[in-house]
Amino acid sequence: ANHAPNNPVDTAIFFGLSGTGKTTLSADPERVLIGDDEHGWSDRGTFNFEGGCYAKTINLSADAEPEIYATTSKFGTVIENMIYDEETFELDFDDDSLTANMRCAYPLEYISNASSTALGGHPKNIIMLTCDAFGVLPPIARLTPAQAMYHFLSGFTSKVAGTERGITEPQPTFSTCFGAPFMPLRPEMYGNLLRDKIAKHGATCWLVNTGWTGGAYGTGHRMPIKATRALLHAALNGSLAKVEFRKDPNFGFEVPVMVEGVPELLLDPRRTWSDKEAFDAQAQKLVKMFADNFEQYVPYIDEDVKAAAIG
């Protein structure tokens, strides 16, 4: 979670499974970091109760992630599973010979713009992160409250190398509420609670894909982080709400047509594929996976969420 400088009321919270970009995207130099993990949303606002950060370091660079990169040279940061020079202690961020699950853990205050209170307001924006290895989902989409509950309950992403033992290439998964193992109650209870809070406080919800574009895994490439950051900045500063949107034919959510600083082609996943028929087949495959997974919730949800489930 983070908030705008000198304005805790302008808070954003990030949902997502491991490897989707929560740590990277919340540690934004232009915003104040409330916390990296473990947050609550009470009647008074947002708060962090963990106090530390835990980041993936494979291919970490000062250009792409300057705040996190800087922590790796500070005393007290714990480095895991990384190759280093035994004389100079210089870290090799590209050597994954031990494992792709290279990490660093550090105190929250090691991020230069971290909050001193770990408190924020009621979220103005809710970001749901997904890593789509099918190359079908757009880099960002605006969700209605019902669609937000649908994607919250679905919790779709792809497990990538370095998130679990034995994962060497992306594997699609659905983890309800973006954290199924941690949910002791029925998923719909959390979904309804989130939807009620969104309605009460007027939060805008966005689905952000940090996965593949230009094709599926093996053919396409990862979404450029600069484009993701540009889209997030536009969403959080309010400028994205003013652009033209189109309705996605597969999922029914709204997708921006043109955003300053982002290649127009990137905003339409189908156009990034050289084989358009292959994209259509891949899209239908993913839609069916969503539908099949969501059958388990249909008896317990309201009609508006059922409508969102079919786009």
Side-chain angles (χ1 to χ4, degrees), residues 135-146:
V136 169
L137 295 177
I140 196 167
R142 184 167 58 188
L143 307 177
T144 66

Side-chain angles (χ1 to χ4, degrees), residues 93-105:
F93 296 97
D94 300 312
D95 189 337
D96 63 354
S97 57
L98 290 178
T99 174
N101 191 17
M102 301 152 57
R103 305 267 182 162
C104 66

Side-chain angles (χ1 to χ4, degrees), residues 140 142 206 231 234-235 238-246 254-260 267:
I140 196 167
R142 184 167 58 188
W206 307 91
L231 290 168
S239 62
L240 190 58
K242 302 174 184 177
V243 307
E244 179 186 354
F245 284 79
R246 64 176 178 86
E254 293 183 315
V255 181
V257 174
M258 186 180 299
V259 180
E260 185 177 354
L267 296 170

